[in-house]
Amino acid sequence: MSDVTAPEHPAPARRLPRPAGAPAPAGRRRTGARPAWILLVPATAAALLAVLPLGYLAVRALEHGPAHAWDIVADSRTGELLLRSLGLTVTVVAACLVIGVPLAWLTVRTALPGARAWSVLATLPLAVPSYVTAFAWLSAAPSLAGFTGSALALTLASFPYVYLPVAAALRGTDPGHEEAARSLGHGRLGTFLRVTLPQLRPAAAGGGLLVALYVLSDFGAVSLMRYDTFTLGIHTSYRASFDRTPAAALSAVLVLMTIALVAAETRTRGRADYARTGTGTARRAVPAALGRWRPIALTCCGTLVAAAVGFPLAVLGYWLAVGASAGWEPTALATTAVATLGLAAGGAALTTLLALPVGVIAARHRGRIAHILEQAAYAGHAVPGITVALALVFFAVRYARPLYQETPLLICAYAVLFLPVAVAATRAAVLQAPPVLDDVARSLGRTPFGVLREVTVPLAAPGVAAGAALTFVVCMKELPATLLLRPTGMDTLATRLWTETGSGSFAAAAPYAAALILLAAVPSYLLGRHRT
């Protein structure tokens, strides 16, 4: 036996400096480095486009002096609109989280019969505009008008914004962590609350933020339900007077609410890393048996899909049957559908291109620059569509007159309004790609553009494609900005539907509503099928 014994507490090994250019340790995000110019320049351009309506609001709101603007903001009517908007937003976000997270868990992690089909059906509400859902339920139950009907319609239309990212996060997480927790004595519920749910926090928070911004900017559903919110108050103010100051001041309050929501969502992310850093390939989780809960789960899924998709389609079917005797105009319907598809494709392409550098910076860098760029990208989404449209008209008339009432201006409006949809999807996808791979590529001599092209974008491609599909769908359904900015003589399915519904011609509006739902259902179906 040796006379030399090892010390009871060995001295810690000296930490050697990491050679320049060597990759960072696995699982650690490079937070101190400034974003590369190849990302920073286009991200800054996207942020400037997104904050353009804010510049318009500042000019209009202060047109008669700060005192006049403050009198409008401090009015009791503004406070009432604030409380009503916040109450509706909190209710819808909470309902979407309660629906979206359990639904994602049921379709991804359990042995739910027909889970693949339910995954596809859960995305189809994206194809139904909120104003179509509101019209369907209001025509069946007029007593729903007001807060209850608005909350119901917006919840049924927007819960996929939570379901989709949470389902994707569940598929991307390694079940080994949950198995380790179960081996340490934690039950299924405790494992879900302590291990699974924290890993879903970024996806759920990002989806909840999108729902909140969607509710704050919605005009169609609250208008049909006759529930006064900021968007309806702003629209009424624009139509009631040539003075844009009151509407601009109300819009400014809405923007401040958006910034506060984005800041709150950012604080919920914490400093944890969510990418898998272990070796090998992650295994698929073993589906959990539902046992006696299976009939209840199937009933809940069926009721949800029936309320969000089946009922509106049944109402439209009724109006189609009623209006069949009056005859349709197939040529006008086809022309309108082609115009809608073209505008939505252009809007989705531009929005995705602008969102890619912002999403990568938000996922890979922490700091003031990344924070400002991400907040700027989100700011325009809560500005009402009519305000975004008027801001772009103001800019085009003064500085880019050839763009006035042309298609590119409308596509830019879509990019301002829906940039957060693509940014949230891109950021979530990049977060799940291990950052060490970027560092390894840099250590092998790749330029920042080479890393982006060969590593980051290919790994995040499914999430980016999902964001593009979502953007395509919401561009098809957009109404206020399209009403104001569409080229002369051009109609979309949404504007034609709104025109016919506003005149009480529900039978004439039904073909356009049905075409809008069917066209939007195609990318929604593909999105749900791709995620399964």
Side-chain angles (χ1 to χ4, degrees), residues 101-365:
V101 175
L103 182 62
W105 185 78
L106 280 174
T107 57
V108 175
R109 288 295 184 88
T110 71
L112 180 72
R116 188 181 182 89
W118 289 117
S119 296
V120 175
L121 291 173
T123 65
L124 292 184
L126 292 173
V128 185
S130 61
Y131 45 85
V132 173
T133 304
F135 163 71
W137 284 96
L138 191 62
S139 63
S143 60
L144 288 176
F147 176 85
T148 302
S150 300
L152 175 64
L154 290 170
T155 299
L156 294 176
S158 56
F159 76 83
Y161 290 119
V162 172
Y163 166 78
L164 285 171
V166 172
L170 280 171
R171 293 188 185 96
T173 55
D174 191 344
H177 300 293
E178 300 168 20
E179 294 168 358
R182 294 295 299 273
S183 68
L184 293 175
H186 293 287
R188 183 169 295 174
L189 179 60
T191 300
F192 178 80
L193 295 177
R194 296 187 178 186
V195 179
T196 308
L197 197 58
Q199 296 183 76
L200 302 180
R201 184 173 62 182
L209 177 61
L210 288 178
V211 172
L213 298 182
Y214 181 84
V215 174
L216 286 176
S217 61
D218 180 79
F219 168 73
V222 295
S223 177
L224 287 176
M225 289 291 180
R226 298 184 296 279
Y227 184 73
D228 285 339
T229 60
F230 265 108
T231 50
L232 190 55
I234 292 167
H235 184 265
T236 303
S237 178
Y238 270 121
R239 295 189 60 183
S241 173
F242 289 104
D243 183 9
R244 306 303 187 199
T245 302
L250 293 177
S251 298
V253 176
L254 199 55
V255 170
L256 293 177
M257 292 169 60
T258 300
I259 294 175
L261 285 173
V262 173
E265 189 271 340
T266 302
R267 292 181 65 87
T268 66
R269 297 174 186 172
R271 293 187 174 272
D273 289 310
Y274 298 93
R276 183 178 182 270
T277 58
T279 60
T281 303
R283 295 176 292 103
R284 295 183 65 89
V286 178
L290 290 174
R292 65 170 184 261
W293 295 98
R294 180 182 297 180
I296 298 176
L298 289 173
T299 301
C300 291
C301 291
T303 302
L304 180 64
V305 172
V309 180
F311 184 74
L313 288 178
V315 172
L316 288 178
Y318 167 78
W319 285 113
L320 285 171
V322 169
S325 58
W328 295 351
E329 299 180 14
T331 303
L333 181 62
T335 302
T336 305
V338 170
T340 302
L341 291 173
L343 290 173
L350 178 61
T351 306
T352 303
L353 287 175
L354 293 174
L356 182 60
V358 179
V360 172
I361 290 176
R364 287 289 188 257
H365 300 273

Side-chain angles (χ1 to χ4, degrees), residues 438-460:
D438 294 0
D439 295 325
V440 169
R442 290 295 301 274
S443 71
L444 294 175
R446 294 294 188 270
T447 63
F449 179 72
V451 174
L452 182 68
R453 179 172 57 87
E454 299 178 23
V455 180
T456 309
V457 172
L459 289 174

